[in-house]
Amino acid sequence: MSDDESDAGSQGEEKDIGSYEGERNELGMRHGHGRAILSGGDCYEGEYRDGMRNGKGVYTFKGGAKYVGEYVDNEKCGQGTFIYPDGGAYEGQWNKDQRNGRGRYRYPNGDIYDGEWLNNYKHGKGTYTYRDCTAHQGVWVNGRKEGMGEVTLPGCKFTAMFNRDYPNGLGTYTFDGIELAQGGEYVAPPPPTSTGDEDAEDEEAEMKDSARVWRPDIIAPLDVIEQTRLK
């Protein structure tokens, strides 16, 4: 399951209460520590308050997903770990049943994102490390790379502004053990001709972003490149 999809199963208020073993309050509501098995096969064991999951607990889904962490009024809230059926896992902060705050997501293919989240999307500062050990450190907006970012590659680093997940405009390559750097610019093909079809135009714009080409223009010490761009 990708990080932009909803969590497996539903963790809303239990309409089908199934079976329950545990503590209750004077009104007969689940209160304290208990274990509930829903008729659909999900299982929760942990703390309750006034009939709802509140505090620390473990929710195991019939489909193989599992959440270990904190709840507030039946919603994941606070610190917790969610293990997805596809092998991905998120460990970090939650609010209102969504990844919000600081957290680390390990993808099934071995990639790792460690940084800030908003409503289940990468949003804010973070580092995305690919399984081949290359990495992108920068800013995300609604799941996409935006603004200044630094990409670490074997033997070199690349710094540039990013837009819609792709480098955009001026950038600089610096190389391990070499004082000289390479400056240049990522340029895109001409904008698509308007057809009146918004979906088609969005798709063409996405293809244009992904087709940006690096055009080097200067090889010099990094400070010289930076001074040249200030003129």
Side-chain angles (χ1 to χ4, degrees):
M1 176 176 292
S2 74
D3 61 316
D4 294 337
E5 294 176 321
S6 59
D7 295 334
S10 172
Q11 292 200 171
E13 186 174 352
E14 297 166 359
K15 295 181 180 179
D16 188 340
I17 61 176
S19 63
Y20 173 76
E21 294 181 0
E23 299 174 300
R24 296 180 182 271
N25 61 17
E26 62 275 9
L27 298 177
M29 303 170 71
R30 301 175 185 184
H31 194 91
H33 188 85
R35 184 173 187 268
I37 300 177
L38 282 69
S39 62
D42 293 353
C43 175
Y44 171 76
E45 182 169 0
E47 300 173 351
Y48 283 88
R49 186 176 70 242
D50 296 332
M52 293 191 288
R53 295 186 293 278
N54 274 284
K56 295 181 180 179
V58 178
Y59 195 110
T60 304
F61 295 88
K62 180 181 178 180
K66 187 176 186 178
Y67 173 75
V68 181
E70 298 174 316
Y71 283 91
V72 173
D73 294 342
N74 275 352
E75 294 182 331
K76 297 186 290 292
C77 188
Q79 194 74 17
T81 298
F82 200 107
I83 302 171
Y84 295 88
D86 61 7
Y90 171 81
E91 180 179 0
Q93 296 174 317
W94 298 79
N95 188 41
K96 296 186 181 299
D97 250 358
Q98 295 183 316
R99 296 183 288 274
N100 276 289
R102 183 83 187 186
R104 183 177 186 269
Y105 196 111
R106 187 189 72 246
Y107 293 84
N109 67 353
D111 292 356
I112 295 174
Y113 171 75
D114 191 344
E116 298 173 332
W117 297 80
L118 180 67
N119 299 335
N120 277 346
Y121 287 97
K122 297 184 289 290
H123 192 92
K125 296 180 180 180
T127 300
Y128 193 109
T129 305
Y130 297 88
R131 60 180 176 178
D132 63 1
C133 294
T134 62
H136 178 99
Q137 183 176 0
V139 177
W140 275 257
V141 176
N142 294 328
R144 292 189 178 210
K145 305 180 192 77
E146 298 282 354
M148 184 60 68
E150 181 181 82
V151 181
T152 301
L153 302 164
C156 68
K157 290 184 178 180
F158 171 69
T159 305
M161 295 293 291
F162 282 75
N163 178 251
R164 294 164 61 102
D165 254 351
Y166 298 98
N168 180 46
L170 297 175
T172 306
Y173 280 92
T174 56
F175 304 92
D176 296 347
I178 301 176
E179 293 184 1
L180 296 178
Q182 183 186 81
E185 182 178 11
Y186 268 97
V187 296
T193 302
S194 177
T195 62
D197 186 336
E198 292 185 2
D199 290 338
E201 290 180 9
D202 287 344
E203 184 175 347
E204 289 181 9
E206 188 76 25
M207 292 176 65
K208 181 194 74 171
D209 287 337
S210 64
R212 294 183 187 278
V213 177
W214 173 249
R215 292 183 178 174
D217 62 9
I218 183 173
I219 297 178
L222 181 58
D223 59 344
V224 173
I225 294 176
E226 292 175 343
Q227 291 172 12
T228 300
R229 289 176 176 172
L230 292 175
K231 294 180 180 180

